[in-house]
Amino acid sequence: MDFGLVLQTDPPASAVVGLMRRAERNGFRYGWTFDSSVLWQEPFVIYSRILEHTTHLTVGPMVTNPGTRTWEVTASTFATLNDMYGNRTVCGIGRGDSAMRVAGRKPNTLARLGEAIGVIRDLAEGREAEVDGQPLRLPWVKEGKLPVWMAAYGPKALALAGAKADGFILQLADPFLTEWMVKAVRKAAADAGRDPDSITICVAAPAYVGDDLAHAREQCRWFGGMVGNHVADLVSRYGEHSGLVPEALTDYIKQRQGYDYSHHGRTGNPDTAFVPDEIVDRFCLLGPVQAHIEKLEALRELGVDQFAVYAMHDAREEVIDAYGGQVIPALS
């Protein structure tokens, strides 16, 4: 199992770079960031600095979207980083939540997302692709490689990930839901004539190491609110009891009343009071080291290839070090 670190690009950028260097020293292989250019600093600028100060870390957004940048610009940016530092980038992509809504736009359609996945990959790897009816190619790309991993929750999005993406990003660490969603992605891949085992499965969630569960829950409760945004979209699209989305995912948002993106992904988010302890425990990894190892072993048995640690809490360095010293060696 591989491990990644997920950060917001809050200033100063040097702190983000420093934490990514610390993660690499501790055995993490991936460095991810949020991508919402109004709420945080521009990640692609910071990726260049991270790549310069690490030797093997692969970096990318968790996640970008096909609406805030034109597709040829996104592809060219990835291809430039790869040309400068070797093929050490990955494109995590989704419909767009905070990046689109903060700017007053709706998330992208799945049709647009599916088209973008192929176009961005083709352009970044030096092949011709069509953008808005215009055939384009980046003539300077030599031996470029860009895996594109898609974030998804709902049935249609899971099917698209299986049919089109190189990897699947699931932003929660509940084994029951992970099993349900991984099976859906792999079935969609098989239905599309692809090798289901060729799709990399990445689970991303907050991890907090320690014996004080009450404190750990309060540090990570924001995550249930973030996931709740996507779940609310699913309920509005499919209905509360459609049978298309597990009720284990939808039940907890019944008390959700709204969401202020100025607190997005942050400890103490006042819009996450509706998230019960049970959901925090199910979606996140909390407790002593052994509890983390046991849950990660269960996820690995379900086909998870990477666990990406959201580190938006008051113990970022401690979690990175605990994973490097005890958790990663146990799962290697």
Side-chain angles (χ1 to χ4, degrees):
M1 179 180 274
D2 286 333
F3 288 83
L5 177 68
V6 190
L7 299 173
Q8 294 168 336
T9 51
D10 287 314
S14 58
V16 177
V17 176
L19 287 168
M20 291 299 185
R21 294 180 68 188
R22 189 183 194 118
E24 183 180 63
R25 292 195 301 270
N26 275 281
F28 289 74
R29 292 192 57 215
Y30 285 78
W32 303 92
T33 74
F34 282 43
D35 177 19
S36 188
S37 298
V38 173
L39 296 176
W40 303 287
Q41 292 186 329
E42 172 56 37
F44 286 93
V45 177
I46 300 172
Y47 295 156
S48 188
R49 191 71 170 170
I50 294 169
L51 290 166
E52 181 182 6
H53 287 279
T54 56
T55 58
H56 63 263
L57 203 68
T58 294
V59 303
M62 190 177 279
V63 293
T64 193
N65 71 85
T68 52
R69 301 176 183 82
T70 60
W71 301 351
E72 70 274 18
V73 170
T74 298
S76 181
T77 304
F78 278 112
T80 301
L81 292 171
N82 285 337
D83 187 65
M84 293 172 67
Y85 300 106
N87 290 323
R88 292 171 55 200
T89 66
V90 57
C91 177
I93 195 167
R95 294 177 60 231
D97 179 34
S98 62
M100 297 296 287
R101 288 181 164 123
V102 166
R105 306 183 185 104
K106 293 181 179 180
N108 298 272
T109 64
L110 287 175
R112 179 174 173 82
L113 175 57
E115 184 182 358
I117 287 172
V119 168
I120 291 168
R121 183 200 291 123
D122 283 344
L123 290 176
E125 295 185 349
R127 295 183 294 276
E128 182 178 286
E130 190 172 288
V131 181
D132 296 330
Q134 178 69 32
L136 299 175
R137 187 174 72 86
L138 305 179
W140 48 269
V141 174
K142 306 297 181 185
E143 300 181 356
K145 186 67 177 174
L146 182 67
V148 182
W149 298 5
M150 180 183 154
Y153 290 107
K156 291 182 180 179
L158 294 169
L160 179 61
K164 297 275 190 177
D166 301 300
F168 164 50
I169 297 172
L170 173 58
Q171 291 163 309
L172 55 80
D174 175 67
F176 172 80
L177 293 169
T178 297
E179 181 177 20
W180 184 85
M181 293 186 187
V182 169
K183 284 181 177 178
V185 169
R186 295 210 189 280
K187 181 182 183 302
D191 291 345
R194 307 178 68 200
D195 177 4
D197 293 328
S198 69
I199 300 174
T200 302
I201 306 297
C202 175
V203 161
Y208 199 102
V209 178
D211 294 325
D212 188 345
L213 279 178
H215 181 74
R217 286 170 180 145
E218 291 312 311
Q219 288 294 304
C220 299
R221 197 174 304 277
W222 62 266
F223 185 66
M226 188 182 84
V227 173
N229 293 332
H230 303 288
V231 176
D233 282 347
L234 295 178
V235 170
S236 66
R237 186 175 301 116
Y238 298 108
E240 188 175 337
H241 302 292
S242 65
L244 297 173
V245 182
E247 292 188 12
L249 183 61
T250 61
D251 280 352
Y252 86 97
I253 68 160
K254 292 177 181 178
Q255 303 303 316
R256 180 181 182 271
Q257 296 183 344
Y259 194 84
D260 181 350
Y261 279 91
S262 66
H263 306 290
H264 189 56
R266 299 190 185 279
T267 297
N269 186 334
D271 297 321
T272 59
F274 71 93
V275 180
D277 289 350
E278 177 192 3
I279 288 294
V280 182
D281 293 346
R282 290 179 62 174
F283 285 9
C284 305
L285 274 74
L286 311 175
V289 164
Q290 189 57 36
H292 291 246
I293 292 172
E294 290 173 2
K295 191 165 187 177
L296 288 167
E297 286 176 338
L299 292 169
R300 183 171 61 179
E301 287 297 313
L302 298 174
V304 175
D305 300 297
Q306 179 185 154
F307 177 62
V309 177
Y310 277 105
M312 277 66 78
H313 49 57
D314 64 1
R316 297 184 300 181
E317 291 86 353
E318 292 85 350
V319 166
I320 293 169
D321 293 347
Y323 265 67
Q326 301 176 72
V327 178
I328 292 176
L331 274 295
S332 297

